[in-house]
mmCIF file of all heavy atoms in Angstrom:
data_model
loop_
_atom_site.group_PDB
_atom_site.id
_atom_site.type_symbol
_atom_site.label_atom_id
_atom_site.label_comp_id
_atom_site.label_asym_id
_atom_site.label_seq_id
_atom_site.Cartn_x
_atom_site.Cartn_y
_atom_site.Cartn_z
ATOM 1 N N ARG A 11 -21.065 67.395 -19.466
ATOM 2 C CA ARG A 11 -21.301 67.866 -18.070
ATOM 3 C C ARG A 11 -20.283 68.967 -17.743
ATOM 4 O O ARG A 11 -20.589 69.988 -17.151
ATOM 5 C CB ARG A 11 -21.052 66.669 -17.066
ATOM 6 C CG ARG A 11 -21.848 65.494 -17.315
ATOM 7 C CD ARG A 11 -23.314 65.598 -16.981
ATOM 8 N NE ARG A 11 -24.138 66.397 -17.962
ATOM 9 C CZ ARG A 11 -24.454 65.870 -19.217
ATOM 10 N NH1 ARG A 11 -24.096 64.617 -19.603
ATOM 11 N NH2 ARG A 11 -25.200 66.562 -20.037
ATOM 12 N N VAL A 12 -19.077 68.747 -18.239
ATOM 13 C CA VAL A 12 -18.020 69.806 -18.009
ATOM 14 C C VAL A 12 -18.373 71.117 -18.741
ATOM 15 O O VAL A 12 -18.195 72.196 -18.213
ATOM 16 C CB VAL A 12 -16.652 69.262 -18.418
ATOM 17 C CG1 VAL A 12 -15.540 70.317 -18.361
ATOM 18 C CG2 VAL A 12 -16.229 68.084 -17.556
ATOM 19 N N MET A 13 -18.762 70.962 -20.033
ATOM 20 C CA MET A 13 -19.073 72.106 -20.857
ATOM 21 C C MET A 13 -20.297 72.944 -20.353
ATOM 22 O O MET A 13 -20.468 74.091 -20.724
ATOM 23 C CB MET A 13 -19.198 71.763 -22.300
ATOM 24 C CG MET A 13 -17.873 71.216 -22.885
ATOM 25 S SD MET A 13 -18.035 70.603 -24.672
ATOM 26 C CE MET A 13 -18.371 72.156 -25.509
ATOM 27 N N ALA A 14 -21.093 72.204 -19.557
ATOM 28 C CA ALA A 14 -22.300 72.912 -19.117
ATOM 29 C C ALA A 14 -22.079 73.712 -17.838
ATOM 30 O O ALA A 14 -22.883 74.474 -17.339
ATOM 31 C CB ALA A 14 -23.381 71.853 -18.704
ATOM 32 N N LEU A 15 -20.823 73.606 -17.295
ATOM 33 C CA LEU A 15 -20.477 74.351 -16.040
ATOM 34 C C LEU A 15 -20.369 75.841 -16.275
ATOM 35 O O LEU A 15 -19.857 76.278 -17.353
ATOM 36 C CB LEU A 15 -19.128 73.814 -15.556
ATOM 37 C CG LEU A 15 -19.052 72.405 -15.042
ATOM 38 C CD1 LEU A 15 -17.615 72.033 -14.638
ATOM 39 C CD2 LEU A 15 -19.988 72.108 -13.922
ATOM 40 N N GLY A 16 -20.893 76.620 -15.411
ATOM 41 C CA GLY A 16 -20.701 78.022 -15.449
ATOM 42 C C GLY A 16 -19.291 78.417 -15.063
ATOM 43 O O GLY A 16 -18.511 77.561 -14.597
ATOM 44 N N LYS A 17 -18.983 79.662 -15.179
ATOM 45 C CA LYS A 17 -17.584 80.075 -14.913
ATOM 46 C C LYS A 17 -17.205 79.875 -13.483
ATOM 47 O O LYS A 17 -16.022 79.571 -13.206
ATOM 48 C CB LYS A 17 -17.516 81.633 -15.241
ATOM 49 C CG LYS A 17 -16.083 82.200 -15.111
ATOM 50 C CD LYS A 17 -16.021 83.641 -15.561
ATOM 51 C CE LYS A 17 -14.583 84.114 -15.497
ATOM 52 N NZ LYS A 17 -14.462 85.514 -15.997
ATOM 53 N N HIS A 18 -18.140 79.955 -12.516
ATOM 54 C CA HIS A 18 -17.828 79.790 -11.134
ATOM 55 C C HIS A 18 -18.450 78.552 -10.545
ATOM 56 O O HIS A 18 -18.529 78.420 -9.306
ATOM 57 C CB HIS A 18 -18.266 80.985 -10.324
ATOM 58 C CG HIS A 18 -17.565 82.271 -10.879
ATOM 59 N ND1 HIS A 18 -16.241 82.539 -10.678
ATOM 60 C CD2 HIS A 18 -18.138 83.387 -11.468
ATOM 61 C CE1 HIS A 18 -15.954 83.728 -11.189
ATOM 62 N NE2 HIS A 18 -17.060 84.239 -11.679
ATOM 63 N N SER A 19 -18.969 77.650 -11.403
ATOM 64 C CA SER A 19 -19.574 76.481 -10.812
ATOM 65 C C SER A 19 -18.600 75.295 -10.887
ATOM 66 O O SER A 19 -17.628 75.297 -11.655
ATOM 67 C CB SER A 19 -20.860 76.128 -11.541
ATOM 68 O OG SER A 19 -20.558 75.858 -12.977
ATOM 69 N N ALA A 20 -18.828 74.297 -10.085
ATOM 70 C CA ALA A 20 -17.967 73.129 -9.980
ATOM 71 C C ALA A 20 -18.695 71.831 -10.436
ATOM 72 O O ALA A 20 -19.907 71.755 -10.390
ATOM 73 C CB ALA A 20 -17.446 72.940 -8.596
ATOM 74 N N LEU A 21 -17.898 70.888 -10.854
ATOM 75 C CA LEU A 21 -18.468 69.638 -11.307
ATOM 76 C C LEU A 21 -19.148 68.875 -10.085
ATOM 77 O O LEU A 21 -18.637 68.933 -8.990
ATOM 78 C CB LEU A 21 -17.354 68.723 -11.823
ATOM 79 C CG LEU A 21 -17.693 67.420 -12.560
ATOM 80 C CD1 LEU A 21 -18.395 67.758 -13.984
ATOM 81 C CD2 LEU A 21 -16.467 66.656 -12.784
ATOM 82 N N HIS A 22 -20.415 68.346 -10.375
ATOM 83 C CA HIS A 22 -21.080 67.545 -9.306
ATOM 84 C C HIS A 22 -20.390 66.198 -9.176
ATOM 85 O O HIS A 22 -19.855 65.655 -10.144
ATOM 86 C CB HIS A 22 -22.549 67.419 -9.615
ATOM 87 C CG HIS A 22 -23.242 68.748 -9.671
ATOM 88 N ND1 HIS A 22 -23.195 69.697 -8.706
ATOM 89 C CD2 HIS A 22 -24.120 69.237 -10.688
ATOM 90 C CE1 HIS A 22 -23.945 70.701 -9.081
ATOM 91 N NE2 HIS A 22 -24.496 70.502 -10.209
ATOM 92 N N ILE A 23 -20.532 65.623 -8.025
ATOM 93 C CA ILE A 23 -19.982 64.252 -7.869
ATOM 94 C C ILE A 23 -20.776 63.193 -8.546
ATOM 95 O O ILE A 23 -20.280 62.128 -8.872
ATOM 96 C CB ILE A 23 -19.775 63.909 -6.382
ATOM 97 C CG1 ILE A 23 -21.129 63.642 -5.698
ATOM 98 C CG2 ILE A 23 -19.020 64.974 -5.588
ATOM 99 C CD1 ILE A 23 -21.060 62.968 -4.350
ATOM 100 N N MET A 24 -22.121 63.498 -8.787
ATOM 101 C CA MET A 24 -22.943 62.524 -9.453
ATOM 102 C C MET A 24 -24.022 63.270 -10.246
ATOM 103 O O MET A 24 -24.334 64.416 -9.977
ATOM 104 C CB MET A 24 -23.631 61.580 -8.390
ATOM 105 C CG MET A 24 -24.661 62.277 -7.540
ATOM 106 S SD MET A 24 -25.525 61.171 -6.389
ATOM 107 C CE MET A 24 -24.321 60.980 -5.049
ATOM 108 N N TYR A 25 -24.552 62.497 -11.201
ATOM 109 C CA TYR A 25 -25.611 63.036 -12.049
ATOM 110 C C TYR A 25 -26.673 62.028 -12.286
ATOM 111 O O TYR A 25 -26.383 60.803 -12.176
ATOM 112 C CB TYR A 25 -25.045 63.483 -13.402
ATOM 113 C CG TYR A 25 -24.155 64.695 -13.299
ATOM 114 C CD1 TYR A 25 -22.787 64.602 -13.030
ATOM 115 C CD2 TYR A 25 -24.657 66.006 -13.488
ATOM 116 C CE1 TYR A 25 -21.965 65.647 -12.950
ATOM 117 C CE2 TYR A 25 -23.801 67.119 -13.460
ATOM 118 C CZ TYR A 25 -22.471 66.970 -13.197
ATOM 119 O OH TYR A 25 -21.649 68.023 -13.092
ATOM 120 N N ALA A 26 -27.850 62.429 -12.683
ATOM 121 C CA ALA A 26 -28.847 61.448 -13.172
ATOM 122 C C ALA A 26 -28.303 60.818 -14.426
ATOM 123 O O ALA A 26 -27.425 61.338 -15.119
ATOM 124 C CB ALA A 26 -30.192 62.129 -13.463
ATOM 125 N N LEU A 27 -28.806 59.647 -14.780
ATOM 126 C CA LEU A 27 -28.321 58.920 -15.967
ATOM 127 C C LEU A 27 -28.448 59.726 -17.267
ATOM 128 O O LEU A 27 -27.644 59.570 -18.174
ATOM 129 C CB LEU A 27 -28.987 57.558 -16.077
ATOM 130 C CG LEU A 27 -28.849 56.625 -14.927
ATOM 131 C CD1 LEU A 27 -29.635 55.363 -15.179
ATOM 132 C CD2 LEU A 27 -27.402 56.358 -14.691
ATOM 133 N N ASP A 28 -29.438 60.572 -17.313
ATOM 134 C CA ASP A 28 -29.652 61.430 -18.540
ATOM 135 C C ASP A 28 -28.767 62.685 -18.515
ATOM 136 O O ASP A 28 -28.877 63.500 -19.412
ATOM 137 C CB ASP A 28 -31.125 61.761 -18.773
ATOM 138 C CG ASP A 28 -31.647 62.615 -17.654
ATOM 139 O OD1 ASP A 28 -30.901 63.056 -16.684
ATOM 140 O OD2 ASP A 28 -32.907 62.947 -17.656
ATOM 141 N N GLY A 29 -27.992 62.857 -17.518
ATOM 142 C CA GLY A 29 -27.098 63.994 -17.327
ATOM 143 C C GLY A 29 -27.703 65.118 -16.526
ATOM 144 O O GLY A 29 -26.960 66.117 -16.342
ATOM 145 N N GLY A 30 -28.936 65.031 -16.140
ATOM 146 C CA GLY A 30 -29.518 66.045 -15.295
ATOM 147 C C GLY A 30 -29.105 65.953 -13.828
ATOM 148 O O GLY A 30 -28.232 65.155 -13.471
ATOM 149 N N GLU A 31 -29.700 66.808 -13.010
ATOM 150 C CA GLU A 31 -29.321 66.784 -11.617
ATOM 151 C C GLU A 31 -29.785 65.526 -10.941
ATOM 152 O O GLU A 31 -30.900 65.007 -11.152
ATOM 153 C CB GLU A 31 -29.913 68.019 -10.918
ATOM 154 C CG GLU A 31 -29.499 68.286 -9.570
ATOM 155 C CD GLU A 31 -30.011 69.608 -8.985
ATOM 156 O OE1 GLU A 31 -30.535 70.444 -9.778
ATOM 157 O OE2 GLU A 31 -29.947 69.760 -7.733
ATOM 158 N N ALA A 32 -28.915 64.971 -10.090
ATOM 159 C CA ALA A 32 -29.248 63.719 -9.363
ATOM 160 C C ALA A 32 -30.356 64.034 -8.370
ATOM 161 O O ALA A 32 -30.588 65.169 -7.901
ATOM 162 C CB ALA A 32 -28.091 63.238 -8.561
ATOM 163 N N LYS A 33 -31.262 63.044 -8.136
ATOM 164 C CA LYS A 33 -32.416 63.231 -7.310
ATOM 165 C C LYS A 33 -32.095 63.537 -5.846
ATOM 166 O O LYS A 33 -31.182 62.970 -5.279
ATOM 167 C CB LYS A 33 -33.327 62.071 -7.447
ATOM 168 C CG LYS A 33 -33.834 61.786 -8.888
ATOM 169 C CD LYS A 33 -34.683 60.493 -8.935
ATOM 170 C CE LYS A 33 -35.171 60.301 -10.317
ATOM 171 N NZ LYS A 33 -35.920 58.957 -10.463
ATOM 172 N N GLN A 34 -32.936 64.392 -5.257
ATOM 173 C CA GLN A 34 -32.834 64.580 -3.875
ATOM 174 C C GLN A 34 -33.131 63.280 -3.059
ATOM 175 O O GLN A 34 -33.927 62.469 -3.516
ATOM 176 C CB GLN A 34 -33.804 65.687 -3.390
ATOM 177 C CG GLN A 34 -33.462 67.049 -3.965
ATOM 178 C CD GLN A 34 -34.428 68.118 -3.406
ATOM 179 O OE1 GLN A 34 -35.453 67.807 -2.750
ATOM 180 N NE2 GLN A 34 -34.108 69.350 -3.706
ATOM 181 N N GLU A 35 -32.515 63.181 -1.914
ATOM 182 C CA GLU A 35 -32.718 61.955 -1.068
ATOM 183 C C GLU A 35 -34.040 62.039 -0.327
ATOM 184 O O GLU A 35 -34.428 63.085 0.237
ATOM 185 C CB GLU A 35 -31.616 61.776 -0.052
ATOM 186 C CG GLU A 35 -31.598 60.536 0.704
ATOM 187 C CD GLU A 35 -30.398 60.372 1.593
ATOM 188 O OE1 GLU A 35 -29.264 60.266 0.932
ATOM 189 O OE2 GLU A 35 -30.567 60.256 2.796
ATOM 190 N N SER A 36 -34.802 60.977 -0.350
ATOM 191 C CA SER A 36 -36.033 60.830 0.408
ATOM 192 C C SER A 36 -36.133 59.385 0.895
ATOM 193 O O SER A 36 -35.311 58.534 0.446
ATOM 194 C CB SER A 36 -37.210 61.266 -0.386
ATOM 195 O OG SER A 36 -37.402 60.393 -1.553
ATOM 196 N N THR A 37 -37.065 59.125 1.740
ATOM 197 C CA THR A 37 -37.200 57.757 2.283
ATOM 198 C C THR A 37 -38.566 57.197 1.970
ATOM 199 O O THR A 37 -39.574 57.900 1.888
ATOM 200 C CB THR A 37 -37.026 57.706 3.879
ATOM 201 O OG1 THR A 37 -38.020 58.586 4.426
ATOM 202 C CG2 THR A 37 -35.671 58.252 4.231
ATOM 203 N N LEU A 38 -38.582 55.870 1.731
ATOM 204 C CA LEU A 38 -39.778 55.135 1.452
ATOM 205 C C LEU A 38 -40.238 54.432 2.709
ATOM 206 O O LEU A 38 -39.932 53.245 2.954
ATOM 207 C CB LEU A 38 -39.592 54.142 0.302
ATOM 208 C CG LEU A 38 -39.085 54.774 -1.013
ATOM 209 C CD1 LEU A 38 -38.841 53.673 -2.075
ATOM 210 C CD2 LEU A 38 -40.074 55.800 -1.499
ATOM 211 N N ASP A 39 -40.910 55.109 3.594
ATOM 212 C CA ASP A 39 -41.169 54.602 4.972
ATOM 213 C C ASP A 39 -42.190 53.460 4.935
ATOM 214 O O ASP A 39 -42.335 52.768 5.890
ATOM 215 C CB ASP A 39 -41.645 55.752 5.895
ATOM 216 C CG ASP A 39 -40.595 56.793 6.035
ATOM 217 O OD1 ASP A 39 -39.362 56.428 6.094
ATOM 218 O OD2 ASP A 39 -40.854 57.976 6.200
ATOM 219 N N HIS A 40 -42.953 53.320 3.826
ATOM 220 C CA HIS A 40 -43.932 52.275 3.739
ATOM 221 C C HIS A 40 -43.317 50.928 3.442
ATOM 222 O O HIS A 40 -44.002 49.892 3.558
ATOM 223 C CB HIS A 40 -44.956 52.592 2.693
ATOM 224 C CG HIS A 40 -44.453 52.721 1.273
ATOM 225 N ND1 HIS A 40 -43.648 53.739 0.903
ATOM 226 C CD2 HIS A 40 -44.438 51.918 0.245
ATOM 227 C CE1 HIS A 40 -43.208 53.573 -0.340
ATOM 228 N NE2 HIS A 40 -43.706 52.458 -0.773
ATOM 229 N N LEU A 41 -42.052 50.849 3.034
ATOM 230 C CA LEU A 41 -41.381 49.628 2.712
ATOM 231 C C LEU A 41 -40.679 49.092 3.972
ATOM 232 O O LEU A 41 -39.990 49.858 4.721
ATOM 233 C CB LEU A 41 -40.417 49.756 1.587
ATOM 234 C CG LEU A 41 -40.932 50.005 0.231
ATOM 235 C CD1 LEU A 41 -39.861 50.263 -0.803
ATOM 236 C CD2 LEU A 41 -41.898 48.979 -0.236
ATOM 237 N N ALA A 42 -40.786 47.739 4.216
ATOM 238 C CA ALA A 42 -40.176 47.211 5.442
ATOM 239 C C ALA A 42 -38.639 47.264 5.344
ATOM 240 O O ALA A 42 -37.964 47.278 6.429
ATOM 241 C CB ALA A 42 -40.613 45.736 5.590
ATOM 242 N N GLY A 43 -38.066 47.262 4.125
ATOM 243 C CA GLY A 43 -36.589 47.182 4.004
ATOM 244 C C GLY A 43 -36.103 45.886 3.973
ATOM 245 O O GLY A 43 -36.607 44.848 4.552
ATOM 246 N N TYR A 44 -34.997 45.603 3.203
ATOM 247 C CA TYR A 44 -34.328 44.298 3.116
ATOM 248 C C TYR A 44 -33.890 43.958 4.473
ATOM 249 O O TYR A 44 -33.113 44.660 5.206
ATOM 250 C CB TYR A 44 -33.126 44.369 2.154
ATOM 251 C CG TYR A 44 -32.320 43.129 2.096
ATOM 252 C CD1 TYR A 44 -32.731 42.128 1.235
ATOM 253 C CD2 TYR A 44 -31.252 42.891 2.922
ATOM 254 C CE1 TYR A 44 -31.984 40.976 1.143
ATOM 255 C CE2 TYR A 44 -30.525 41.753 2.860
ATOM 256 C CZ TYR A 44 -30.850 40.763 1.947
ATOM 257 O OH TYR A 44 -30.219 39.589 1.918
ATOM 258 N N ALA A 45 -34.343 42.757 4.985
ATOM 259 C CA ALA A 45 -33.971 42.262 6.287
ATOM 260 C C ALA A 45 -34.339 43.295 7.389
ATOM 261 O O ALA A 45 -33.461 43.454 8.339
ATOM 262 C CB ALA A 45 -32.538 41.840 6.385
ATOM 263 N N HIS A 46 -35.388 44.042 7.140
ATOM 264 C CA HIS A 46 -35.840 45.047 8.076
ATOM 265 C C HIS A 46 -34.810 46.183 8.298
ATOM 266 O O HIS A 46 -34.680 46.745 9.358
ATOM 267 C CB HIS A 46 -36.254 44.396 9.352
ATOM 268 C CG HIS A 46 -37.323 43.376 9.275
ATOM 269 N ND1 HIS A 46 -38.585 43.733 9.027
ATOM 270 C CD2 HIS A 46 -37.302 42.056 9.342
ATOM 271 C CE1 HIS A 46 -39.398 42.636 8.895
ATOM 272 N NE2 HIS A 46 -38.485 41.586 9.147
#
């Protein structure tokens, strides 16, 4: 991850498990949710 950084890029706080970019946040509105 460090070696993949460009000259002016910074380390991300998180990554996908395969080292790729972590997924964007979205919501699953069809699920009721734990304890609503």
Side-chain angles (χ1 to χ4, degrees):
R11 308 287 76 73
V12 173
M13 293 177 70
L15 296 176
K17 186 174 182 179
H18 300 291
S19 61
L21 191 68
H22 298 311
I23 71 165
M24 70 177 77
Y25 292 86
L27 298 178
D28 63 3
E31 189 173 345
K33 295 177 182 177
Q34 292 183 353
E35 186 172 300
S36 61
T37 60
L38 302 177
D39 297 326
H40 62 287
L41 292 179
Y44 176 86
H46 302 287

